[in-house]
Structures are given as structure tokens and as C-alpha cells.
Amino acid sequence: MNQGTPQPRVDRFRGHRFSAYFVAPVFFALAAWFWFGPELETLPEANDTSVHASLLSTEPHRTILGDPPRVHVNGFDRTCMECHRLFQSEEAKTQKLLQHEHIRMEHGPNVDCYICHDAEDRDQLTLGNGVTTKFTDVVSLCARCHPSIVDDWKLGSHGRTNGYWSADRGEVRKLVCTECHDPHAPRTPAMSKIEPLPAPNGWRQGNPAPDHHDSHGHKRDPLREALRRASEHHESHDK
Amino acid sequence: MRDYGRFLWRCARISFVGDWRYHTWMLTLSVIALLGLNAYAKQLVDGLATTGMTDQVSWGLYIANFTFLVGMAAAAVMLVIPVYVYGKHEMHELVVFAELLAVAAIVMCLLFVTVDLGRPDRFLHLFQRFNFPISMLTWDVVVLNGYLLLNMHICGYLIYCAYKKRKPGKWFYYPFVIVAIGWAISIHTVTAFLYVGLGGRPFWNSAIIVPKFLASAFAAGPAFIMLTLQLIRYFTDHKVPQGAIRLLQNIVTVALTIDLFLLGSELFTEFYADSHHISSLVYLWFGKDGYHALVPWIWTSVAMSVTALLIFYLPTKRSMFFVNIACVLLIVGIWIEKGMGLVIPAFVPSPLGEIVEYVPTLNETLVCFGIWAFGLMIYTIFVRITIPVLSGQLTHDRIYHTEVATDSATHPPTEGSLS
Amino acid sequence: MSADTQQQQKPGVSRRSFFRGALGAAGGMAAVTTALKPLLEFDTSEYTLEGFLQRHYKEMTPEELDAALARIAEAVEKRYEVRPELRDVKPMDGVEFGYALNLSRCIGCRKCVHACVAENNQSRSPEIQYIRVLEMPRGSIDMEKGDHAYDRPTVPDADHFYMPVQCHQCANPPCVKVCPVEATWSEDDGIVVIDYDWCIGCRYCEAACPYWARRFNFAEPQIPKEDINPDMSYLSNRPRQKGVMEKCHFCLHRTREGKLPACLEVCPVGARKFGNLLDPKSEVSQILRTKHVFVLKEEVGTLPRFFYYFDDDYHGERK
């Protein structure tokens, strides 16, 4: 470096020690601002986006009939045969949906009850040629016409599994066909047209692009009526 | 050791001494730094929610400034190489100023990384489970701190030798200078590797970013040093040979040319191939799906860089006035390019194709200004100390007059008058 | 740059000069102190010395881990007034988890998203969700054409299909590679976990993830007390702190005990399939063998354990 050359240059920085009378007031003013000054910026609003627990039910869509099938009619708990043994005439067999008007038959060409129900033993389903099976074994019945879907179901790729992923650890509850599909109108399962749960509503997401409007042209509101639906859902769920 | 303590004490004292311009400058920087400190305190309390960052754009101004400043730090090497490799000894003293700038820049880098952390209280975890050499971030920690230590050693040693009027022992600094040359390249390379190593971000995942980083850094850094040297020349009587500035000008010209050339190559490759990967580029340059927050920035940046390049190639290059304008233009241009042009667009659209724009908040802007002010403050202090030491006005056996003439007339120039 | 303190002044230095220095110093001190005023509101209740000294999950002895669990459980109880069943669940031997999702089935109802939030104690405000469902036009799997914010009166829409995305638990995870402090790693059963007490919040993993699966706690997470799920484990769904990363962990507190993940259980259409990839008879193994599965962004080389597939006989007319 400069080996201490004995020719000191004039250092222009040298001079007055800057008056504390100027520095200190600035600092004190700044301190006052920090202490009393207003909040310049507020955090963005964060909506609570919880949805009601009832919307997150893991129950099957439909409750299936057991063995023997029990139905609730006019406050009585009956198996099918408890009534149907009274209507065993040939006439009654061909009668159209006397007590079962609510049934909507939309199962392709299957308009005749006895394609699936056993005509003699109403507590059983028929697999044809006089072979019957229980209501709980509805899969065997469906497999007669939909073998590939049932294959997928067995494989696991079609249908729901709840509970445990390994039978070693607990019940692997594979839902059967009619726990999702209405056997009388299977193409429109209970979840075919449902209202989606709220869209994401993160912070600072900017202005939604034009396509972030719903089909009615309303600006999206992720929390629209989530609670209303939660309460309604309760009633409509277990039909 | 006692001598060294006294040296540091004198350095600390002298940093408070100066004329009204010095004090006004330092006061302004202090106020800005304190505003930044206040903003950071808010961030510590409320979390990074005080910034404009989101899960979509998870890095913002902090990392952008960090990246730019790594380049500034690396650029010191552009003064070291001419002196130590090509033997331009008339610039020897200027090297210290460049290396001090590197020290200040690295300090700013480390601050920018710190303020970006969600849990700065856990920084000790770095020492306990350091994912080296797998994580590029750990490489960055190593090279940045290594570079900081190298430069602190070189500057500190040379300045202390001048203070002691000793001839610096070659072996005590020369090997470090040589290591620092390679190291300077490495800090910016490793920082570029931070980005280019991410396969999930096609915008970054391109090898050309690495040389482009270096080229832009070697344009912006020396340009900044050019301005600094002129300021030193203006405000002090320290000799800054015009040749040094012109040499830096040549370096800047070449580096900026390469930078723009690489930019052109990148744009051609991406836009001509027109593959899926250009979403971020389209967003950056032209806007996408009605979102175009970065478009004015990048075009401004390019306009600034091109104007600077023209000034450097046209006869205007002979006028220091125009050259200084060019330096300012290209520093700002490259700063924009690093932030708005490199860090942020990689996050837009998100990997799932969602477009969320990033707008910095006032709070994080204040933190950024605060860190810059703090960095400039320590650089000013470094220069403030270095100049009298190098010029032999402040040595171990010589008393530096700090009081005004009347004061020093009343007090004999003893140790006491330093205060 | 407050004026220097001048205690050991030699005689002769004027009183005025001392006063000047003291005044400047006082101003500086006042400004620095008041600049830190916001820290008065800093909630230090969860910053304990034990927490500060706690070691990395993999380094803790069983006793240390028990102590950490007890401490965390206590903090949770204090804050949420629920006694959590906090435990550490280790991977099971001979198990590597895989997930398959049937895009032909998914109707985009977002039940998985919200079931996940409820199960995993995710912050309700600001909102953190691990699963993002994209509404995609038919005929493309270009995610940029997907709509994240679709909000129809009913789903599914006939012209779209729906693609939920969550952490793919990659076998070659870029997020793990980039973490500077090894706060995230791949466990033996393939689940990529995070030690929330180790993460420094640099968000490098978030930048590295090609699937946008990671989430950062930009603010203190807010969960209503009554919504806390007390069934918790260390590496999965215990409440997180401000400033750390989190993400889907295949509900490891459930799945490592044999149960199915919450997103799968709630799925009304059975689009989600989960199981042990090492067991050839598991649902997910059979799907991988018999269906044409694909992974997202295969070219990135992340080797996800999350597979998508369409039914072979699917013509889209179901909806």
C-alpha cells in the first residue's frame, strides 16, 4: 500500500463534527413516528373457509337392504315377505308398482320387477333359472349384465372402499353396487349432480380473471351459502 | 493485539467524523435503515404475510435483491484480475475499494436471505444438519460466507498494514487474492445453480442462465464501482486514475454486450421452438391471459440496457457524463432484470398453471430499502476509514485531526483529540 | 450513527462536546428502540428453550421424542383447549404407499380438499389446502387450461373433467434435495415428511416442487377450537407454526395404522385408490397392473407415487 508517504492529502471529510443538535432531533422525530405513527399497511383479510362437517360425511350414499330386507312402511318395520305373502295371486304379480310408486324405473330394458326380484320369495333376488341370492349379495346380480364393471370393482378400480387399506389391520369395507347406484335408475347415482364445495380462497390472489365467474356471470364467492347448504345437506343426505 | 484493538477503536471513531455532507448522507441512510428495521420487526410479529408473497409466488423482492447483490459482490473480481493477473499496478489501491464493496454487498446478501426466512430463529439448524453437498443453498451459504471472510481478510490485512506502515507480507494476502478470484466466479455461479437446478421450473431450468448471470453481474458490478470511484474522487482527494475508470468502462461494455447477446439467444431459442415451456416468458414479455404486471418492467429494463450499450459504443462513450448515465441505466436495468425478469416470472404461472401475480407490499419494500441503506452505510464507513489510512493520514504513530481547526488549536493533537 | 460516547474524555474536552455526543447517542438509541416497538406484540408463548434446543427428528432419542411430544401436546392443549392424542407413528415394514386416481370418475366436488383440511388441522384463515382440483377441458391434460376457481351450481360439467393434485410423494423428490437443513425427507414407506420443528422457512422446496404441492404458513395458522382433530402425529397433522412449510403426507397418522386417507374416505365416487405398492394384491397394485396409468410431468424425473388413470371403456358420456 501507500507506504506512509509523508504528504498528507487534504481530507475533505474532515471538518465539523456534525452537530448533534441536528442529528438528535431527527432521531427523536423518527422515534416518535415509530411509537405514535399510524399503521401504514394492514394484513389482507382472511376469510374463514371452514365447511360444515356434515358436508364431509364418509357414509355411503344409499343404505342398502339387509338380509332379510326390512323396510319401514307406515311406521311398521316389515320384511318384504311379511306383506307380499298376502299378494301371491297371479294377478298381483303382474300388477304395476302398487305400493312402490316412488320407484323410478330407468334401468334400460329392465322394466319387469322379476328380472331381478324373485317372484316367489320377495326377500331374495333372482339370478335366473330359479337360483336366488340375498339382497346383501347384490353384486352377483349386477354381475350378470355388467361383468366387466364388477371385475373392475373386484380389482378395486371401480367403486368405493372405506375403512382400512389392508384386511390385516381392519375392515376393508368395499361398498357394493347399490350403496352408490339406485338399482332402479343406476345411471344417475346420488352424486351425479352436486354442488361443489367452496373454491380456494387464498391470500393476495389478485383480481380474478374474467373466467373466474360462474356460469351466471357472478363474481365468484367461495363462501357462498356454504352454511345454508350444510344444514340442508343433513336432510337430503340420507334419502 | 492491543494495537489491533486500538486500530478498531480509531476506525469506529473516525466513522462518526465528517463534514455536513457526510453526516447528512449517513443520517439519511440511518433513517431509512431504521424504517427497514421497524418494518422487519412487523414482519417478525405477523409473519411473511406482511410481504406480497404467496404460495404461488413464493420468492419475491428479497431473493431478487439477494441475487442482484451476489452479482455485485462477484464483480469486485473485475478490478482484481487486471491488477493481479495483468499487472496493472497503478490500480492497486482501487482494488481495496472494490473488495470493500464486495464485503458490503455480501453483508446485504446475507441480510436479504435472513429476512426471507420464515423462522430466522432456527438458523442454527444450518450448523446442526447441513445438507451439504446435496442442497445448492448450502453451497451458497458456504461460498458466500467464504467470500465474505476472504475479502474481509484481504481488505483488513492491507488496511491494517498501511496503518502500521508495514509492507504487506505477500504470503499473507496474495494467495487469498488468487483464491478470491476463483471464488468470486463461484459465488455467482452457485447462485445461478440455485435456480437452474430446479427441473420443475422450466423458466429457470436452462444452462444459459449461468453465463448470463455472470455477464450481467460483470456489467452491473463494475458500473457501480465506476460510479463509486468517481464519487471518491469528487469528495476526497484520493487519487483515482482515469485509466482505471476507462478500463472498467471497457469491461462493462464487453460484459453488457455478452449479456444482451445471451438474452437474445435465450429469447430466440424459446420463442422459435415455441414449446410449452415458454409460458413464463410469454407472461414476462407480453402478458398472459390478461395478466401483465411484469411487462412494463422488462421492456423498461431492456430499453435501459440497450440505451446503455449504445452509449458505450457511440462517440458518447468519450464523455464521462454520458458514460455515467449509461452506468446508472444499466445498473437499474439489470436490477430489474434480476428481480422482475428472473426470479418472479418463474413462479407465474404456477406449476399447476395458475396465474397469481406478485405485488410487493410497502412493508417488504421498506425492509429492502432498509437493507440497502444499511449496506451503503457500512460501505461508506469502510471508505471513510480506508481513505485516510491509505493516504497515510491515519497511521499507528500519527494522529488524525478530526476536530475543526479551532478545536485542534485549543487541544494539542493527542490521542484524545481523535474523539 | 449516533455520536460516539465519550466517557473517558481527557480533561480539556469541553462539556459541550460531551453533551452533543450524549444527545446524539440518546437520539440514536431512542430511534433504534422504538423501531422495534412491533416486537412488543410478539407472541412468545410457543418459543420455549426446550423447543429451541430440540434436535432433528432423526437425531432424537426415544426419551427426547417423548418429551418433545409431551411438550407439543401441552402447547396444543393450552392453545386449542383440546387434549390431543399426539404420537409418533413409524413406517410399517414391507409397505410402500401408492395412490391412484381415476380421472374418469372424479366429479370435482372438492370434498377431498375440505376433508383434508379438517383431518389435518390446516389453517382455515389464511386458508391452506393440500389438494387443488383443476377443472380441465376435455381433450387436453394441459394444466394451464385448467380452472382452479371453478364455481358451478353443480358439478360435474359435461365439457370438463376434473383433476385433483396433491403431493405426489416422489421417489426422487426435488424438494428433499434442495432443503438446506434436511427438514424434509423421504421415509421408508415412501412418504415425504417435514419436521415442522426443524424447517427454517426458506421456501426453496416450494420453488423446487413441480406439482405445487407445498404450502407455507405466511401467517399464524388459525383453526377454530371446535374443529381441531385431536388424532395427531408428530410428522403429520399436529398444528403447525407460522413460518414453516407443510404439505400432504398421505395422512400418515391414519395410513400407518392401516386406515385409508381422509381424502379417499370422503370421495363420493370412489375415484381415489390407496394401498401398498409392494403387495401385489392391493387395489393400487392391481390398478397399476391392469390400467393405463400415467404420472404428471414424467419428464421431470420425479418418479411420483401418485398415479392417474382413465377407465378404458370410458367415453365421457357418463356425465
Side-chain angles (χ1 to χ4, degrees):
Chain A
M1 293 279 91
N2 195 329
Q3 288 302 305
T5 340
Q7 15 173 290
R9 303 163 188 161
V10 180
D11 182 353
R12 289 215 196 139
F13 275 127
R14 220 181 113 191
H16 275 284
R17 308 174 80 234
F18 193 54
S19 172
Y21 302 125
F22 179 55
V23 172
V26 173
F27 277 136
F28 280 121
L30 188 64
W33 164 261
F34 285 145
W35 201 261
F36 302 108
E39 203 62 43
L40 291 179
E41 203 167 42
T42 49
L43 290 182
E45 290 260 323
N47 295 319
D48 185 347
T49 52
S50 314
V51 300
H52 197 274
S54 65
L55 289 167
L56 303 173
S57 162
T58 57
E59 293 300 304
H61 304 288
R62 310 182 75 256
T63 336
I64 59 163
L65 297 168
D67 179 54
R70 307 194 74 87
V71 288
H72 302 275
V73 181
N74 298 335
F76 296 98
D77 184 18
R78 301 267 186 248
T79 67
C80 301
M81 276 310 276
E82 279 176 302
C83 294
H84 277 276
R85 78 160 63 89
L86 308 173
F87 312 109
Q88 282 293 6
S89 64
E90 282 306 308
E91 193 191 334
K93 276 184 188 170
T94 53
Q95 208 163 17
K96 280 228 158 216
L97 296 176
L98 185 66
Q99 286 294 324
H100 303 300
E101 288 131 330
H102 67 281
I103 289 176
R104 188 164 53 103
M105 279 308 293
E106 282 176 17
H107 197 155
N110 302 304
V111 288
D112 180 4
C113 307
Y114 306 110
I115 293 174
C116 297
H117 294 276
D118 190 67
E120 306 303 325
D121 184 353
R122 299 297 171 88
D123 287 343
Q124 300 281 313
L125 299 169
T126 178
L127 298 177
N129 299 328
V131 184
T132 60
T133 191
K134 295 169 180 168
F135 268 73
T136 46
D137 181 35
V138 67
V139 177
S140 309
L141 174 68
C142 301
R144 291 178 65 206
C145 299
H146 308 288
S148 67
I149 293 179
V150 171
D151 279 351
D152 269 358
W153 178 79
K154 284 180 183 155
L155 207 72
S157 75
H158 184 116
R160 285 176 68 178
T161 310
N162 280 24
Y164 289 75
W165 54 265
S166 159
D168 306 343
R169 329 235 161 223
E171 189 204 352
V172 181
R173 173 145 157 57
K174 278 174 95 78
L175 270 56
V176 299
C177 314
T178 46
E179 283 182 280
C180 296
H181 300 276
D182 179 348
H184 302 112
R187 286 190 74 85
T188 49
M191 61 288 181
S192 66
K193 285 282 178 197
I194 61 175
E195 202 173 350
L197 294 190
N201 183 33
W203 277 12
R204 305 189 191 279
Q205 300 271 297
N207 304 314
D211 58 332
H212 287 176
H213 290 63
D214 66 18
S215 47
H216 308 299
H218 298 126
K219 191 162 172 287
R220 77 184 173 98
D221 174 11
L223 284 177
R224 44 141 182 69
E225 302 184 80
L227 284 173
R228 176 188 61 80
R229 284 182 297 124
S231 51
E232 283 180 8
H233 193 80
H234 254 321
E235 294 127 38
S236 63
H237 190 253
D238 31 27
K239 60 165 172 247
Chain B
M1 205 23 78
R2 216 171 135 259
D3 263 4
Y4 194 66
R6 183 180 296 154
F7 167 66
L8 290 182
W9 176 237
R10 286 180 164 191
C11 289
R13 280 178 172 182
I14 202 175
S15 58
F16 290 105
V17 176
D19 64 8
W20 68 271
R21 289 172 304 188
Y22 177 76
H23 274 107
T24 312
W25 167 243
M26 293 298 273
L27 180 65
T28 313
L29 292 180
S30 308
V31 168
I32 298 174
L34 285 170
L35 285 171
L37 182 68
N38 180 247
Y40 183 57
K42 284 181 192 155
Q43 181 186 308
L44 276 179
V45 172
D46 292 329
L48 284 156
T50 53
T51 70
M53 289 185 272
T54 53
D55 276 320
Q56 284 82 3
V57 185
S58 51
W59 279 346
L61 274 192
Y62 295 156
I63 295 296
N65 276 300
F66 158 77
T67 310
F68 177 77
L69 283 164
V70 172
M72 296 287 274
V77 80
M78 280 295 138
L79 262 179
V80 179
I81 290 176
V83 174
Y84 288 93
V85 180
Y86 294 107
K88 295 215 180 262
H89 292 292
E90 71 276 13
M91 288 166 61
H92 196 266
E93 283 190 3
L94 302 183
V95 168
V96 175
F97 294 114
E99 281 176 340
L100 288 171
L101 177 67
V103 172
I106 295 280
V107 169
M108 284 191 261
C109 285
L110 297 176
L111 286 175
F112 270 117
V113 173
T114 308
V115 298
D116 190 60
L117 291 183
R119 291 298 300 253
D121 56 309
R122 292 183 181 165
F123 81 100
L124 280 176
H125 291 182
L126 274 172
F127 299 97
Q128 293 167 51
R129 273 191 94 89
F130 198 51
N131 191 10
F132 187 82
I134 307 295
S135 169
M136 285 323 289
L137 207 52
T138 58
W139 279 79
D140 224 22
V141 171
V142 170
V143 294
L144 286 180
N145 286 296
Y147 194 64
L148 180 64
L149 292 178
L150 274 174
N151 279 303
M152 275 168 50
H153 167 75
I154 296 168
C155 301
Y157 180 71
L158 290 181
I159 293 170
Y160 188 58
C161 282
Y163 170 78
K164 294 287 279 184
K165 291 200 199 163
R166 265 199 328 237
K167 192 171 164 56
K170 219 166 187 177
W171 286 105
F172 281 105
Y173 79 99
Y174 198 71
F176 293 100
V177 171
I178 299 303
V179 171
I181 291 175
W183 209 286
I185 312 278
S186 86
I187 61 167
H188 215 31
T189 308
V190 167
T191 307
F193 284 173
L194 280 183
Y195 302 103
V196 300
L198 303 183
R201 304 268 173 193
F203 181 76
W204 285 338
N205 191 210
S206 143
I208 205 169
I209 299 228
V210 184
K212 200 159 160 290
F213 256 49
L214 289 174
S216 61
F218 292 157
F224 194 87
I225 297 174
M226 277 169 76
L227 295 176
T228 320
L229 291 181
Q230 288 176 69
L231 286 176
I232 290 173
R233 186 163 61 180
Y234 180 78
F235 283 112
T236 75
D237 281 339
H238 197 84
K239 280 208 182 94
V240 176
Q242 184 67 7
I245 289 177
R246 289 300 185 188
L247 179 73
L248 285 172
Q249 185 182 336
N250 289 342
I251 292 170
V252 172
T253 310
V254 173
L256 186 62
T257 314
I258 295 174
D259 182 37
L260 287 174
F261 173 72
L262 292 177
L263 178 68
S265 310
E266 188 193 10
L267 291 182
F268 168 78
T269 314
E270 299 291 348
F271 279 105
Y272 193 79
D274 198 16
S275 75
H276 206 100
H277 288 171
I278 63 165
S279 302
S280 294
L281 271 177
V282 171
Y283 168 70
L284 171 63
W285 290 86
F286 304 108
K288 194 171 166 60
D289 301 346
Y291 296 96
H292 36 62
L294 298 185
V295 176
W297 289 98
I298 192 69
W299 287 102
T300 310
S301 156
V302 170
M304 285 176 153
S305 295
V306 171
T307 312
L309 192 72
L310 288 176
I311 291 176
F312 283 133
Y313 275 108
L314 295 176
T316 42
K317 71 181 171 188
R318 282 190 281 274
S319 146
M320 262 341 267
F321 174 72
F322 282 110
V323 165
N324 286 339
I325 289 180
C327 286
V328 172
L329 283 177
L330 86 89
I331 291 169
V332 176
I334 287 172
W335 180 82
I336 294 175
E337 194 218 309
K338 279 277 149 55
M340 320 293 172
L342 181 102
V343 174
I344 295 156
F347 293 97
V348 191
S350 81
L352 299 187
E354 188 184 19
I355 296 187
V356 172
E357 298 201 291
Y358 165 74
V359 183
T361 58
L362 175 67
N363 206 68
E364 74 181 309
T365 313
L366 282 177
V367 172
C368 291
F369 274 114
I371 293 176
W372 271 97
F374 181 75
L376 289 176
M377 207 155 83
I378 56 176
Y379 186 56
T380 311
I381 291 174
F382 287 159
V383 173
R384 176 75 192 94
I385 294 167
T386 309
I387 286 172
V389 174
L390 289 189
S391 61
Q393 284 168 284
L394 176 63
T395 56
H396 68 291
D397 55 358
R398 190 187 166 86
I399 299 313
Y400 182 63
H401 300 257
T402 56
E403 292 287 341
V404 276
T406 50
D407 276 8
S408 32
T410 47
H411 308 303
T414 58
E415 177 73 4
S417 67
L418 243 177
S419 52
Chain C
M1 66 130 238
S2 59
D4 44 328
T5 46
Q6 312 183 355
Q7 288 92 331
Q8 75 283 49
Q9 288 294 317
K10 290 200 173 169
V13 169
S14 67
R15 210 162 277 171
R16 233 172 93 208
S17 134
F18 176 77
F19 176 70
R20 276 199 316 237
L23 189 65
M29 292 299 286
V32 171
T33 327
T34 49
L36 298 173
K37 182 202 171 198
L39 294 181
L40 290 178
E41 290 162 37
F42 201 93
D43 176 16
T44 51
S45 57
E46 283 180 28
Y47 292 79
T48 58
L49 183 64
E50 291 86 354
F52 184 72
L53 295 175
Q54 184 181 317
R55 294 202 284 170
H56 188 275
Y57 172 79
K58 289 189 191 170
E59 288 174 2
M60 277 192 274
T61 63
E63 297 77 47
E64 284 176 337
L65 185 60
D66 285 344
L69 290 171
R71 189 164 41 74
I72 296 163
E74 200 180 320
V76 169
E77 190 175 5
K78 203 168 133 203
R79 172 157 178 189
Y80 298 103
E81 295 162 17
V82 184
R83 182 76 202 162
E85 243 185 79
L86 178 64
R87 60 203 188 280
D88 177 46
V89 206
K90 299 283 184 207
M92 300 191 284
D93 285 335
V95 173
E96 183 182 336
F97 288 122
Y99 213 121
L101 200 150
N102 188 342
L103 293 175
S104 313
R105 295 284 155 219
C106 178
I107 56 169
C109 63
R110 291 204 188 96
K111 281 188 193 289
C112 49
V113 177
H114 293 274
C116 173
V117 169
E119 174 70 30
N120 289 312
N121 294 318
Q122 275 140 254
S123 171
R124 313 301 204 270
S125 80
E127 177 188 87
I128 288 188
Q129 297 175 344
Y130 296 165
I131 306 176
R132 190 44 85 82
V133 187
L134 278 70
E135 185 181 75
M136 312 263 283
R138 290 188 182 282
S140 166
I141 54 163
D142 176 3
M143 287 190 284
E144 283 184 15
K145 295 186 182 141
D147 183 358
H148 294 241
Y150 64 90
D151 188 26
R152 303 176 177 282
T154 60
V155 284
D157 176 66
D159 298 330
H160 293 90
F161 71 96
Y162 297 84
M163 186 162 82
V165 185
Q166 64 206 74
C167 176
H168 285 8
Q169 318 291 356
C170 307
N172 180 18
C175 52
V176 169
K177 219 163 34 176
V178 301
C179 178
V181 293
E182 294 178 41
T184 182
W185 64 92
S186 203
E187 295 254 287
D188 288 343
D189 54 5
I191 299 179
V192 176
V193 294
I194 300 170
D195 183 349
Y196 309 119
D197 288 344
W198 199 257
C199 172
I200 58 171
C202 71
R203 306 186 302 293
Y204 197 11
C205 54
E206 195 168 29
C209 176
Y211 304 105
W212 194 63
R214 293 185 159 247
R215 300 290 182 274
F216 183 70
N217 285 282
F218 282 95
E220 188 67 41
Q222 303 294 330
I223 312 166
K225 283 171 185 160
E226 61 276 14
D227 289 346
I228 282 281
N229 173 13
D231 178 33
M232 294 175 192
S233 88
Y234 183 92
L235 291 175
S236 65
N237 63 338
R238 65 187 167 110
R240 274 73 63 185
Q241 316 99 330
K242 174 184 75 192
V244 302
M245 296 301 306
E246 56 179 292
K247 69 170 190 66
C248 162
H249 38 71
F250 278 0
C251 281
L252 67 81
H253 54 286
R254 296 169 63 95
T255 52
R256 283 183 179 171
E257 290 173 352
K259 289 188 208 142
L260 286 161
C263 52
L264 185 148
E265 292 242 74
V266 81
C267 179
V269 294
R272 293 171 163 268
K273 299 293 162 187
F274 179 84
N276 182 3
L277 292 170
L278 302 181
D279 173 8
K281 290 199 291 293
S282 70
E283 281 187 349
V284 71
S285 292
Q286 304 203 63
I287 288 167
L288 256 59
R289 265 203 313 280
T290 56
K291 298 286 177 181
H292 301 290
V293 298
F294 67 95
V295 294
L296 288 187
K297 304 197 181 186
E298 194 175 3
E299 71 279 7
V300 186
T302 46
L303 308 178
R305 291 189 179 87
F306 197 100
F307 304 90
Y308 294 92
Y309 66 103
F310 288 94
D311 283 338
D312 295 336
D313 56 351
Y314 174 61
H315 306 295
E317 89 275 12
R318 180 176 58 88
K319 296 161 182 172

